Amino acid sequence: MTGQYNLFLSKRLVTEEKIFDGGVLVNEFGKIEDVLDRYDADNLIAESKDKITVVDGGDCPLLAGVVDSHVHVNEPGRTAWEGFRTATSAAAAGGITTIVDMPLNSIPPTTTLENLKIKANSAKENVFVDVGFWGGVIVGNQDSLRDLIKAGVVGFKCFLCPSGVEEFPNVGIEDLNLAFDALEGTGSVLAFHAEVEEETSSGKCMKLDPEDYNTYLESRPSQMELSAVSLITNFLQKTDVRVHIVHVSSANVVPLLVKAREDRLAKGHNAWRGGVTAETCHHYLTLSADEVPRGHSEYKCAPPIRDANNKEKLWKFLLDDKLDMVVSDHSPCTPELKCSNNLKAWGGISSVQFGLPLFWTQASARGLDLRSITKYLSSGPAHLCGLQNRKGALKKGLDADLIFFDCDANFTVTQEIIRHKNKLTPYIGKELKGVVRKTYLRGHLIYDGGDLIGSPRGELLLNDIK
């Protein structure tokens, strides 16, 4: 052995395949040198103890850091809503070692190379975890897409209905034709906010009680998602571009996506999951419409949280590998935008810090083991974003992004422990299972038992765009 190494030990080391007593050997460059069982780890210590620093977690499980591929940071332009320092400090406390920033809600949006540079400059030296970036597809920016790919964006997001901010307009069929043409052959992915507005719903709901959550729920029926996914799958017959559906809320759309994936695979499409993937979110797997209190718009998101039966169907589809990952869709805002009127309030849920325990609370109750965290919260999002050769698992050659996660401990969400900028979340007062004890980024300790360690050392996952 040459150089110095850190050896992280745990009696419950969690890889994609198994949970065992072992260790992760990390080299001086912050890469995983090897994954060892306890026998080989002990022998290595005996043979090279002068070159190895041991970090022993005991019984506390050791996992790959979470990759959250759906986070709205909003800086610059709406930094009062959220910023890179606050969002990434919350991520580190939540066991997330990589976030991927969405292209809208910042001003300017990430729809041109110049706009990406502005956003990257805001993030530089202000991130506690690694940060990737989505580009955006809006009306008329098709000629900017390949420049953004060269700069290193992980893919693109578009809306099929109004986004809620005027600088990020939704696209129509002709815009999509142009975008698919621009992305053909690039290997990039086009992600969809999959809702199409239904004229029959909005007018009726304006006459109902706006503080009743059911009024908002009726304004965005499941049919909006079905119509959007039907439109998207029609495009798949004439393009090889990878597509991804963000924040699936309605379980009814999943069979359409499964059929589209099977058709792609039958034609020999060799992208991950046939180039047709979908995510759902912690709030859809945790909450149901009947438990949303009157006038509490911190529960409002788009698409909406639906009924308990729908929630259980989403869980079944996830565990049947018909959904591919679980993300936060952390979409914060200032307190005044979360008014009691559910039709007028900002639609977004803040949860980036609590995604891992939210998932584990539900998953462990369903009998899943810790490998489910790696599969759905780390490996899946890493594959979506093309980061699987660097992030998302405990494998030789990947970044040593690690967490010690006390899966048997409980805690209660309070405003005092929230690290994202505005202390608004539907989870305040809820008891969750699983406590992040330590978070490591490329082998360096960045969070320890409630405290951030050192200054921001996260990297921007971009190519040289100076």
Side-chain angles (χ1 to χ4, degrees):
M1 293 178 66
T2 59
Q4 292 297 311
Y5 294 79
N6 290 327
L7 180 60
F8 296 85
L9 299 175
S10 172
K11 293 180 181 178
R12 288 186 283 179
L13 177 62
V14 183
T15 68
E16 293 174 289
E17 294 81 20
K18 60 182 179 178
I19 302 171
F20 61 99
D21 187 353
V24 177
L25 184 65
V26 178
N27 63 31
E28 59 189 315
F29 305 108
K31 297 288 186 179
I32 297 175
E33 188 76 15
D34 208 351
V35 179
L36 309 165
D37 62 27
R38 179 64 66 147
Y39 176 82
D40 288 338
D42 287 343
N43 283 340
L44 185 63
I45 294 169
E47 294 170 0
S48 307
K49 60 182 178 181
D50 58 326
K51 296 180 179 179
I52 294 175
T53 299
V54 174
V55 180
D56 194 342
D59 291 324
C60 193
L62 179 62
L63 297 85
V66 172
V67 178
D68 192 338
S69 56
H70 195 145
V71 178
H72 295 267
V73 177
N74 308 339
E75 185 176 5
R78 291 191 174 92
T79 312
W81 295 20
E82 188 65 279
F84 282 104
R85 276 189 174 251
T86 47
T88 59
S89 65
I96 299 167
T97 49
T98 303
I99 65 168
V100 188
D101 174 65
M102 279 293 168
L104 71 157
N105 299 346
S106 59
I107 301 173
T110 317
T111 51
T112 66
L113 179 58
E114 186 58 35
N115 290 359
L116 174 63
K117 291 178 180 178
I118 293 170
K119 179 174 280 194
N121 284 334
S122 295
K124 188 177 180 181
E125 300 180 357
N126 285 312
V127 294
F128 289 94
V129 303
D130 286 354
V131 177
F133 297 86
W134 287 93
V137 167
I138 61 172
V139 177
N141 82 322
Q142 65 276 359
D143 293 337
S144 297
L145 305 187
R146 294 203 172 213
D147 286 340
L148 286 165
I149 292 171
K150 291 177 184 177
V153 300
V154 304
F156 297 88
K157 182 185 182 181
C158 67
F159 277 72
L160 298 179
C161 64
S163 71
V165 291
E166 62 182 0
E167 65 275 0
F168 202 94
N170 60 289
V171 294
I173 290 176
E174 289 307 312
D175 307 304
L176 288 176
N177 281 323
L178 294 171
F180 276 118
D181 287 345
L183 296 177
E184 197 73 49
T186 65
S188 193
V189 59
L190 182 56
F192 290 83
H193 179 120
E195 289 183 290
V196 173
E197 286 194 315
E198 300 285 319
E199 293 183 5
T200 57
S201 303
S202 56
K204 171 187 172 184
C205 290
M206 291 302 292
K207 301 176 183 179
L208 301 177
D209 180 359
E211 294 193 7
D212 185 343
Y213 180 76
N214 286 319
T215 298
Y216 174 64
L217 184 59
E218 289 182 31
S219 76
R220 298 186 93 105
S222 176
Q223 185 59 47
M224 290 179 64
E225 289 186 74
L226 279 168
S227 298
V229 171
S230 296
L231 172 64
I232 295 162
T233 55
N234 286 338
F235 275 95
L236 298 183
Q237 301 170 17
K238 52 185 179 181
T239 181
D240 286 328
V241 173
R242 295 164 55 210
V243 299
H244 178 72
I245 309 302
V246 300
H247 49 47
V248 169
S249 159
S250 171
N252 293 339
V253 308
V254 179
L256 295 180
L257 295 170
V258 171
K259 175 64 165 56
R261 177 183 296 155
E262 290 172 346
D263 290 346
R264 273 267 183 97
L265 290 170
K267 294 176 182 177
H269 203 287
N270 59 8
W272 180 65
R273 306 286 283 160
V276 180
T277 54
E279 70 192 33
T280 192
C281 299
H282 301 296
H283 37 275
Y284 302 131
L285 297 177
T286 299
L287 304 170
S288 57
D290 59 359
E291 63 186 284
V292 178
R294 174 182 169 82
H296 280 260
S297 64
E298 64 267 30
Y299 288 79
K300 178 184 177 181
C301 56
I305 296 161
R306 303 193 188 277
D307 61 34
N309 182 55
N310 180 79
K311 178 179 76 172
E312 293 307 317
K313 286 181 179 178
L314 288 175
W315 268 106
K316 185 176 189 307
F317 283 135
L318 181 71
L319 301 186
D320 288 344
D321 285 337
K322 294 176 180 178
L323 290 166
D324 305 289
M325 65 200 72
V326 185
V327 298
S328 70
D329 188 12
H330 176 69
S331 185
C333 66
T334 53
E336 61 269 18
L337 294 177
K338 280 294 188 183
C339 61
S340 61
N341 184 323
N342 282 304
L343 296 180
K344 294 182 177 180
W346 176 257
I349 287 178
S350 298
S351 65
V352 66
Q353 183 174 340
F354 305 112
L356 172 52
L358 283 166
F359 177 82
W360 181 241
T361 300
Q362 295 291 321
S364 60
R366 288 169 166 78
L368 302 183
D369 66 32
L370 291 162
R371 290 173 299 170
S372 62
I373 295 172
T374 295
K375 180 175 183 177
Y376 298 117
L377 273 62
S378 302
S379 179
H383 273 86
L384 169 67
C385 297
L387 298 173
Q388 69 273 16
N389 294 324
R390 184 172 176 182
K391 306 285 186 182
L394 300 184
K395 291 181 179 178
K396 182 176 180 178
L398 272 60
D399 288 351
D401 297 344
L402 314 170
I403 54 173
F404 281 112
F405 180 60
D406 189 344
C407 62
D408 300 315
N410 296 316
F411 74 101
T412 299
V413 179
T414 63
Q415 285 191 335
E416 289 73 25
I417 67 172
I418 294 174
R419 292 179 177 271
H420 55 76
K421 181 162 287 187
N422 293 293
K423 317 307 181 186
L424 300 169
T425 178
Y427 303 112
I428 289 177
K430 297 191 186 310
E431 183 174 316
L432 302 180
K433 185 176 183 180
V435 174
V436 176
R437 298 301 184 190
K438 296 185 179 183
T439 304
Y440 296 84
L441 183 67
R442 292 184 298 281
H444 294 282
L445 182 65
I446 61 171
Y447 174 80
D448 184 5
D451 296 318
L452 289 168
I453 306 300
S455 57
R457 63 185 311 146
E459 295 181 357
L460 306 185
L461 304 179
L462 291 170
N463 301 324
D464 188 357
I465 58 172
K466 293 180 181 179

